[in-house]
Amino acid sequence: MLAKLSPRRAVRRHAVAGAIGLAMLGAALPATAADDPQPDLTRFYRQKVTWQACEGVQPPDGLQCGKVTVPLDYARPGAGTLDLALARYRASGDKRGSLLLNFGGPGGSGVSELATSGDDFMDLTDGYDVVSFDPRGVGRSSPVSCGSDPYGGSNVTAGTDETLRDPNAVLRQLKAAAEACAKHSGPVLSHIGTVNVSRDMDVIRQALGDDKLNYLGFSYGTRLGAVYAAQFPDKVGRVALDGVDTLTESVTRQGVAGAAGQQTALEDFLDWCVKDIACPFGQDPRTAREAVVRLVRSMDEDPVPTAFSGEFTGQDLVAALSQGLYSRDMWPSLERALALLVEDGDTRGVEAFATGGFALPGLRQVRQETSPSADGGLVDQEDVPLDNLPAALMAINCADDPDRPTAREITRNLDRLRAAYEEASPVFGPYRLTQVLLCYGRPKGTDFIREKVKNVDTPKMLLVGTRGDPATPYRWTVQTAKRLGPSAVVLDNKGEGHTGYTSSKCVHRKVDDFLLYGTLPANGSSCGSENGVGAGQ
């Protein structure tokens, strides 16, 4: 779901992720039936990354780029390959190995995020090469696309009165969207998803020369870390997961939880905004909330022209709000952008949020002029499809979820679903419902995550949950910890915002102490908030 983005990047239109022998390799692969021979992946595990200076527009000092080749289909490794883009900052102190980062999404470019937010992870270079990558289907790693927009040109918004009057029209639009995504994405679309990305990470681990995977994952990246722990338990090193995802709730239930979390974040933002005379929604919290609902609905009915001869709809505005509400650090910029829209009809400010103008919650603004390239450089952003982030987000979430609603279930339940989503949030409900239904028409997802990712037998892993997280509710941290079993150690961050590492000094310190020195906090210990923004001491 888009609310689980750890990168604050959203894209246009409803924007909405050494040599080893074969005998040794078998122990590292996911379990299969006893009579099912393991495919020969030796050539992939024999790779070494060749690092070089990143090329392109303003690459950060010290950032190096490279690539790793993985099979398109792990069951048939001879059927084709993919190149995955990587980037790293080299260790400045005594090196204990590499630390792999995933910033979330799903659909977020790890190379771009590392390029723009690397300063926040420089402490970790005291012991590690800090590495990130673009997962398959993302950024410069065979990016998926749905064409002109993430909904495949269907322009569907599933929760409107018009679609409720004709649910079959929704089905036709959803099917058309799925077909457009398949047409524009190519063969990678059939092999996308967290189970395959986890296997890619193990190839990356070996290519980096590490016996164990040391890993820091945010938001969706916590799902990826948990899946890796289940697939490769004997390869788990020091693993920290921040903004913990659910492993059990369906996409539909996740959508309702996400809408409710975003509504709470919106109300917190408006409570803050109305204290400022410049707030475009007045000085009363209740009327401000009503004004936002009216604004979204009016822009859906009558979109606002943009500076680029396009239209900015109410759902585009919801996408912008989704990104701007992830962190209090962005609230002043969001307030100014909304004021420009409300008072002058100027969409440039909100478009900066809705079209990928921001990175991780709590981190800095993304440089729009660069993007990772699979050949080890940084290239112009236009080389990556504009809709890659939402297209990848939908593809990965659908591939990870075995529930696929039938046409009958959609037509029968659409009204009930809309009511549940609008009850969670009159602003974000229809938007999130549309995202959920976009799995219709796609192949059924894997049941591996729900069935197999539990009771992992690994070294201790640190799980960070933030009480005021609008995207990954704290209860998901508790539930996932119980599911993973005794290996999971929970750190309770009594702050706000999505994830805690970049907003809480306390969380930052405890995560670094674990990753660098192996020092774990006691299970259930906490970080307190500072001025209500989660910057614990």
Side-chain angles (χ1 to χ4, degrees):
M1 316 306 297
L2 183 59
K4 295 190 291 188
L5 281 170
S6 192
R8 302 195 276 246
R9 298 174 66 100
V11 193
R12 176 84 188 141
R13 190 75 184 162
H14 302 308
V16 147
I20 59 172
L22 184 58
M24 293 175 60
L25 179 60
L29 296 175
T32 58
D35 58 352
D36 186 14
Q38 294 282 4
D40 187 354
L41 301 176
T42 307
R43 67 187 180 102
F44 298 102
Y45 276 82
R46 283 181 174 162
Q47 294 177 86
K48 293 295 183 184
V49 182
T50 299
W51 296 103
Q52 61 185 24
C54 297
E55 300 176 354
V57 183
Q58 298 181 356
D61 291 341
L63 188 70
Q64 296 180 314
C65 291
K67 67 179 181 181
V68 164
T69 302
V70 296
L72 175 67
D73 182 353
Y74 277 91
R76 298 186 303 132
T81 62
L82 303 171
D83 286 341
L84 306 180
L86 280 71
R88 76 168 179 180
Y89 288 102
R90 298 187 67 180
S92 58
D94 293 335
K95 180 179 173 181
R96 59 168 282 115
S98 302
L99 178 75
L100 194 62
L101 301 179
N102 181 280
F103 296 94
S109 165
V111 177
S112 286
E113 295 295 348
L114 188 61
T116 58
S117 61
D119 287 351
D120 290 276
F121 303 93
M122 286 299 103
D123 289 347
L124 293 168
T125 62
D126 286 347
Y128 297 101
D129 288 345
V130 175
V131 182
S132 194
F133 70 108
D134 287 356
R136 57 174 61 207
V138 174
R140 300 308 300 174
S141 299
S142 300
V144 295
S145 173
C146 294
S148 60
D149 68 51
Y151 293 171
S154 66
N155 297 325
V156 59
T157 303
T160 65
D161 290 336
E162 182 179 353
T163 57
L164 287 173
R165 284 192 294 268
D166 187 7
N168 287 320
V170 177
L171 298 177
R172 291 191 295 270
Q173 292 172 326
L174 293 173
K175 184 178 180 180
E179 291 172 349
C181 296
K183 174 184 176 181
H184 289 279
S185 295
V188 69
L189 188 64
S190 299
H191 302 283
I192 206 167
T194 301
V195 173
N196 278 321
V197 175
S198 170
R199 300 190 71 170
D200 292 342
M201 288 207 308
D202 200 56
V203 175
I204 293 172
R205 172 197 60 76
Q206 184 68 29
L208 294 173
D210 294 331
D211 293 331
K212 304 284 186 179
L213 179 75
N214 302 302
Y215 177 78
L216 174 56
F218 298 95
S219 194
Y220 159 77
T222 69
R223 185 198 311 171
L224 180 55
V227 170
Y228 184 89
Q231 287 187 303
F232 304 97
D234 60 327
K235 298 300 181 182
V236 171
R238 294 174 184 172
V239 170
L241 310 177
D242 184 5
V244 181
D245 199 359
T246 179
L247 299 175
T248 56
E249 292 192 3
S250 67
V251 169
T252 301
R253 292 179 63 187
Q254 290 178 50
V256 172
Q262 289 178 308
Q263 182 66 30
T264 298
L266 175 62
E267 291 172 2
D268 289 343
F269 165 74
L270 292 174
D271 288 344
W272 168 87
C273 181
V274 297
K275 297 175 183 177
D276 182 0
I277 193 66
C279 182
F281 304 113
Q283 274 62 62
D284 179 70
R286 179 179 175 181
T287 58
R289 293 166 192 165
E290 294 169 350
V292 172
V293 174
R294 289 196 303 270
L295 179 62
V296 170
R297 290 176 178 171
S298 68
M299 290 177 62
D300 274 334
E301 295 173 0
D302 187 16
V304 178
T306 72
F308 303 100
S309 302
E311 292 182 337
F312 198 82
T313 70
Q315 296 309 297
D316 290 323
L317 177 58
V318 175
L321 291 170
S322 296
Q323 303 309 306
L325 293 172
Y326 269 137
S327 169
R328 284 178 177 261
D329 292 346
M330 294 189 290
W331 287 5
S333 296
L334 180 62
E335 180 189 23
R336 290 192 295 271
L338 290 169
L340 284 172
L341 174 67
V342 172
E343 296 166 7
D344 302 325
D346 188 339
T347 64
R348 288 176 295 177
V350 285
E351 282 186 277
F353 284 95
T355 60
F358 292 86
L360 269 173
L363 301 186
R364 286 169 299 284
Q365 192 167 356
V366 170
R367 286 197 297 273
Q368 296 273 18
E369 71 273 12
T370 62
S371 176
S373 77
D375 61 3
L378 290 174
V379 299
D380 291 341
Q381 180 71 36
E382 64 185 17
D383 285 10
V384 178
L386 290 176
D387 73 322
N388 177 238
L389 189 151
L393 182 146
M394 290 186 295
I396 296 168
N397 277 335
C398 293
D400 285 1
D401 192 282
D403 296 328
R404 196 64 80 243
T406 65
R408 181 180 179 184
E409 288 171 336
I410 291 177
T411 56
R412 184 179 63 214
N413 297 328
L414 189 56
D415 188 58
R416 179 185 60 79
L417 283 172
R418 186 184 79 154
Y421 274 76
E422 287 199 341
E423 182 179 0
S425 172
V427 174
F428 299 99
Y431 180 77
R432 297 302 296 265
L433 176 57
T434 300
Q435 289 183 319
V436 166
L437 293 182
L438 281 164
C439 288
Y440 176 77
R442 297 175 184 257
K444 181 180 178 180
T446 181
D447 59 5
F448 180 88
I449 297 174
R450 292 193 195 168
E451 298 296 327
K452 303 297 184 182
V453 185
K454 57 184 176 182
N455 301 320
V456 298
D457 184 12
T458 69
K460 297 290 187 181
M461 299 184 290
L462 179 60
L463 278 61
V464 181
T466 298
R467 291 283 179 168
D469 194 318
T472 50
Y474 181 77
R475 61 181 172 83
W476 285 357
T477 302
V478 177
Q479 292 170 358
T480 297
K482 290 181 179 178
R483 184 173 177 83
L484 294 178
S487 295
V489 174
V490 172
L491 175 62
D492 180 355
N493 179 32
K494 300 181 183 299
E496 298 177 7
H498 185 33
T499 74
Y501 186 80
T502 61
S503 61
S504 166
K505 295 177 182 178
C506 172
V507 171
H508 193 110
R509 183 177 66 251
K510 290 182 183 295
V511 170
D512 282 1
D513 284 349
F514 170 56
L515 294 174
L516 289 169
Y517 313 116
T519 304
L520 270 169
N523 186 36
S525 61
S526 65
C527 285
S529 63
E530 179 181 298
N531 299 324
V533 296
Q537 296 300 296

